[in-house]
Amino acid sequence: MDVHVSPASRAEYQTLVTGMALPVGTWVAKFHRDDKTGNPGPVFAMHKTRDGWEYLVAEATGAVQERGALDLCQRCHSEGVADQLFGLGRRRPSRDAGTD
Ligand code: HEC
């Protein structure tokens, strides 16, 4: 999969740590790809509005199938690193660093 982030929020997304929140207007889109065929799959996206995140599901063609405060998405993403986002995972504290 590929993750695309609107330019103004890219740096913040790349260094996402607990406690951060991305600005209103931010777009984050996750493009899936079939492992075997390489064909593009569904697109999952998040758009930050004044009322919080709007979740979107689109076909590979870009046709939006569902959008809104989608329950399924929110339930899982409420456990994200920060601001309902999981980020790239590079900055997550390591559980086996030996420092306890
Ligand atoms: C089972 C838990 C789960 C559900 C349900 C889920 N996600 Fe995610 N999502 C994740 C995880 C974990 C990541 C981090 C990247 C990865 O490991 O795939 C992620 C990453 C993302 C990202 C990249 C931004 C980020 O968080 O860093 C977007 C956009 C996204 N998901 C959208 C959606 C949408 C839209 C839905 C609902 C259709 C959804 N997700 C449902 C777990 C979930």
Side-chain angles (χ1 to χ4, degrees):
M1 65 173 211
D2 290 329
V3 178
H4 293 243
V5 181
S6 47
S9 303
R10 196 167 291 157
E12 282 176 280
Y13 180 78
Q14 283 175 328
T15 59
L16 192 73
V17 287
T18 306
M20 275 172 64
L22 296 197
V24 169
T26 297
W27 279 94
V28 185
K30 188 157 77 115
F31 293 77
H32 296 96
R33 198 169 276 283
D34 189 298
D35 270 348
K36 291 191 192 109
T37 63
N39 291 335
V43 182
F44 283 10
M46 294 168 65
H47 175 219
K48 185 75 169 277
T49 71
R50 278 195 191 83
D51 302 323
W53 289 103
E54 172 191 30
Y55 287 82
L56 295 94
V57 180
E59 293 172 26
T61 57
V64 175
Q65 294 174 309
E66 262 191 295
R67 70 188 296 171
L70 303 179
D71 219 36
L72 169 75
C73 317
Q74 246 166 7
R75 239 179 287 148
C76 217
H77 274 259
S78 64
E79 286 163 29
V81 172
D83 202 13
Q84 294 181 39
L85 293 164
F86 287 95
L88 300 173
R90 291 193 195 124
R91 300 273 173 131
R92 275 181 234 181
S94 170
R95 279 173 207 276
D96 47 19
T99 49
D100 207 8

